[in-house]
Amino acid sequence: RSSVVELFVKDRRPGGLPSALRPQALQVLNRQLRSSERGGRAPTGHPSDQFYDAAAARVPPQAVPVTTQKLENEFLETLEQSLRERELTTPMWDRYARRAEELLITMSLEKVLRTLKAFVLAEYTNPDLYKLIGAELAKEVRGASSTRLCQMLHWLARAGLRDQTLMSLAGNEALLRLHDDFAADMYIEVLNAHATLDVRNPRLIAALLRDLTPMFATMSSEQVLTLLPLTVVTVLTDASRGAYLARCAELNMGLPARMTKPEILRHFRFLEECLRLEQHPTMLPGVIQEWLLQLRNAELEDTVPQPNLSPLKEDVLRVLQQEMDIPTTPVVQDGTLTLHLVMGKVVLEILDTYKDYYVTPAMGGQRLLRATTKQRQRLLWRRGWRVLSFDEDEWLALKDDIFKKDLLEAVLSGQHNLTSRRPPASAGGHR
C-alpha cells in the first residue's frame, strides 16, 4: 500500500518568490519524501537511502600502519631508556614532548599510559602535553579494562591533571564495573586518585565506600598502608574512617616505633596529626584513641632527616639575612612537617609551578593549588604558623637583589597577590 502526501505552499511575502528562484523551489518540492513503510529510509536510489550507522558500517576501522607502530615502539623505548640512564635535560625532553604530540593520536591505551608515566617520572612540566594526553585517554576510557582504568587514574593523579570531564568518564565507567572484577586494592586506588585531584563523583564515592567499609576488617598491613592520609581525612565518611582506624589499631600499625621502618612510622604519625588537627576525633573508641596517642608519643623515636636547602631557597635566605637584616632560621622541624625559611612564627613557602599546582584544562589560565599543598598549609596554620608564599618562577625572573628585596617586602607585608597570577608564558620545560 502506497501513501501519498500532498503539500500546498502559499507564499505570503509581499514581493513573492522571485521568478529566478521558482524553478529551484519547484525542484525541491517535487523530490520524494521519506516514508515510514520503509523503516524511515528514503525511496530507493535517494542520496540518503541509508542510515548513518549503516553507511559507516561499510567502512571498517583502519589499522595503524606497521611503520607507525614501529615508530611508536622506538619512541617509547627511547623514553624509558632515558629514564633508566637519568638523562633528564630540558632540551631533550622538550624534543620528546614534540614527538609525543605527533604520535599520541595513533597510540593504543597501553602506549599512552607508558608515555604519561615516562613524562611524570621525568617531572616534565609542560601542561599542554598533559592536556593532550588527557584528551587521548578520554577516547579510550570505554574500552579500557578495569586494571588499565585504575592505572590511568593513578598516573593522572601523579601528573596532577585535574580534568573534570575525563574524571567523570573514568568514574562512570568504574561505577559500572565495581561488582565485576574490582578488588580492594583497586577501590583504594580510585579513592586515592579522587582525593589527590580534589575531584568528587558522588555516586562512585558512595558506592566505593559502601563496598569497602566491610573490607577494612580483613585488610592486610600492606593494603592499609596504601590508603593516603589525605584520603582518610577528606574522602572517607565517619563510618568508613572508623572502620579503617579500627583495623590500623588492631594491626598496631607504626608501633612499636623502634621496630618500624622510618617511612611507615612517619606515614602514620602524619595521619595522626591530620586527624588531631583537622578532625578532632573525640568520639572514636578507646582502642583507636590509645593507638593514636602512642603514635603521637613516638615523636622522640622518629628521626626526620634534615634536607639541605635548594639553591633557590639559599638565595632567598641570603637576601633575607644580608639585604633585609631579618633573622631567619633555615630549617625547623615541627612534628612531621619540615619548615624552611622561618622568621619567628612566620614561615615562607616557595611554591613549585608544577608540584604545587594542578594542570587544569578549560580554566582560562587560572591555577589551583594541589590538595596536598593545601593540606600542608592548613596543618601549618592550625599549628599556629603564619604561612606566606610566592611562586618560584617569580624569583627566578628577578636578576637584581633590589627587585628580589621588593618582592620579599611585598610578601611579608601581605601586599603580594598570589591568587591572581597566571602561569608564565613559557609553560614548557622539565625539572
Side-chain angles (χ1 to χ4, degrees):
R1 188 179 62 179
S2 61
S3 301
V4 178
V5 179
E6 295 184 0
L7 296 179
F8 298 91
V9 180
K10 187 173 183 179
D11 191 353
R12 296 181 178 273
R13 293 177 296 183
L17 185 66
S19 57
L21 298 179
R22 289 184 182 276
Q24 292 87 337
L26 292 175
Q27 184 179 1
V28 172
L29 293 176
N30 288 333
R31 288 180 181 175
Q32 293 178 313
L33 302 177
R34 291 181 182 270
S35 173
S36 59
E37 294 181 356
R38 304 188 67 252
R41 289 179 291 176
T44 305
H46 194 275
S48 60
D49 192 21
Q50 296 281 347
F51 281 121
Y52 175 76
D53 290 341
R58 296 196 302 264
V59 182
Q62 299 296 314
V64 179
V66 177
T67 305
T68 303
Q69 295 184 34
K70 182 179 178 181
L71 293 175
E72 293 172 355
N73 294 331
E74 292 176 351
F75 174 68
L76 290 171
E77 291 173 1
T78 302
L79 287 181
E80 293 166 353
Q81 182 179 357
S82 297
L83 282 175
R84 287 192 299 268
E85 298 177 358
R86 305 303 298 170
E87 297 178 354
L88 305 177
T89 59
T90 301
M92 176 184 295
W93 283 86
D94 284 338
R95 291 195 298 269
Y96 289 161
R98 291 191 292 269
R99 184 59 174 157
E101 293 175 358
E102 300 172 357
L103 296 175
L104 278 172
I105 192 171
T106 58
M107 284 186 178
S108 62
L109 174 61
E110 184 264 339
K111 292 181 179 180
V112 175
L113 287 177
R114 287 173 62 187
T115 303
L116 175 60
K117 177 182 177 181
F119 280 96
V120 169
L121 293 179
E123 297 185 1
Y124 190 71
T125 62
N126 186 350
D128 294 333
L129 175 66
Y130 292 116
K131 294 175 186 177
L132 181 60
I133 291 177
E136 294 300 323
L137 289 175
K139 304 174 186 177
E140 306 289 342
V141 168
R142 186 174 181 181
S145 65
S146 298
T147 302
R148 293 294 186 200
L149 201 61
C150 291
Q151 291 176 348
M152 179 193 307
L153 291 173
H154 172 83
W155 289 108
L156 286 176
R158 290 280 299 270
L161 178 56
R162 191 175 185 271
D163 189 334
Q164 293 278 10
T165 302
L166 179 55
M167 291 299 294
S168 297
L169 291 173
N172 293 337
E173 195 65 30
L175 184 61
L176 298 174
R177 305 181 186 186
L178 286 184
H179 301 290
D180 294 339
D181 53 358
F182 260 59
D185 295 336
M186 302 168 76
Y187 279 76
I188 293 175
E189 192 64 63
V190 175
L191 289 175
N192 284 340
H194 281 76
T196 304
L197 293 174
D198 199 13
V199 178
R200 300 293 183 269
N201 186 324
R203 290 182 58 195
L204 175 62
I205 297 298
L208 287 170
L209 295 181
R210 183 176 60 247
D211 294 344
L212 188 61
T213 301
M215 299 182 190
F216 283 133
T218 58
M219 280 190 177
S220 64
S221 57
E222 290 78 11
Q223 290 175 318
V224 167
L225 185 61
T226 57
L227 199 65
L228 298 176
L230 179 66
T231 307
V232 177
V233 174
T234 61
V235 177
L236 299 190
T237 60
D238 291 340
S240 56
R241 188 182 301 113
Y244 170 77
L245 294 176
R247 182 56 175 168
C248 291
E250 181 182 357
L251 295 173
N252 207 28
M253 297 300 297
L255 299 173
R258 294 182 179 179
M259 301 176 61
T260 305
K261 293 181 179 180
E263 58 272 14
I264 297 178
L265 175 59
R266 205 162 299 124
H267 173 94
F268 286 101
R269 285 190 57 227
F270 182 70
L271 172 62
E272 185 274 332
E273 288 186 2
C274 294
L275 291 171
R276 172 163 44 89
L277 297 176
E278 297 195 82
Q279 294 293 325
H280 309 290
T282 57
M283 302 300 293
L284 293 175
V287 176
I288 299 177
Q289 293 195 28
E290 179 64 25
W291 173 69
L292 293 174
L293 180 60
Q294 293 182 27
L295 284 175
R296 185 177 181 182
N297 295 333
E299 181 176 0
L300 298 177
E301 305 292 339
D302 185 15
T303 304
V304 180
Q306 298 295 329
N308 297 325
L309 291 181
S310 65
L312 187 145
K313 292 181 178 179
E314 289 182 350
D315 191 30
V316 175
L317 178 64
R318 177 187 62 81
V319 175
L320 286 171
Q321 292 180 337
Q322 300 179 10
E323 301 294 333
M324 303 177 67
D325 294 327
I326 298 178
T328 306
T329 305
V331 180
V332 171
Q333 189 67 37
D334 188 3
T336 58
L337 301 176
T338 302
L339 286 61
H340 294 157
L341 306 176
V342 178
M343 297 155 283
K345 292 299 291 183
V346 176
V347 56
L348 195 60
E349 294 275 298
I350 302 176
L351 301 179
D352 187 288
T353 308
Y354 172 69
K355 294 181 180 179
D356 291 315
Y357 289 98
Y358 288 118
V359 178
T360 51
M363 289 194 63
Q366 181 183 0
R367 294 183 296 174
L368 297 177
L369 284 176
R370 295 200 186 197
T372 51
T373 303
K374 291 190 291 185
Q375 182 187 39
R376 172 183 170 85
Q377 294 185 352
R378 286 197 309 270
L379 293 176
L380 290 173
W381 177 77
R382 293 184 185 278
R383 281 182 168 274
W385 296 96
R386 182 190 177 199
V387 182
L388 301 176
S389 59
F390 63 90
D391 291 343
E392 65 172 7
D393 286 340
E394 298 179 72
W395 188 268
L396 295 174
L398 304 177
K399 304 303 181 183
D400 194 285
D401 286 351
I402 296 178
F403 299 111
K404 294 178 181 180
K405 181 179 176 181
D406 291 342
L407 173 61
L408 290 176
E409 288 177 348
V411 172
L412 295 176
S413 63
Q415 299 177 0
H416 180 68
N417 189 1
L418 182 66
T419 57
S420 66
R421 297 192 174 272
R422 303 297 185 186
S426 56
H430 159 270
R431 296 271 164 221

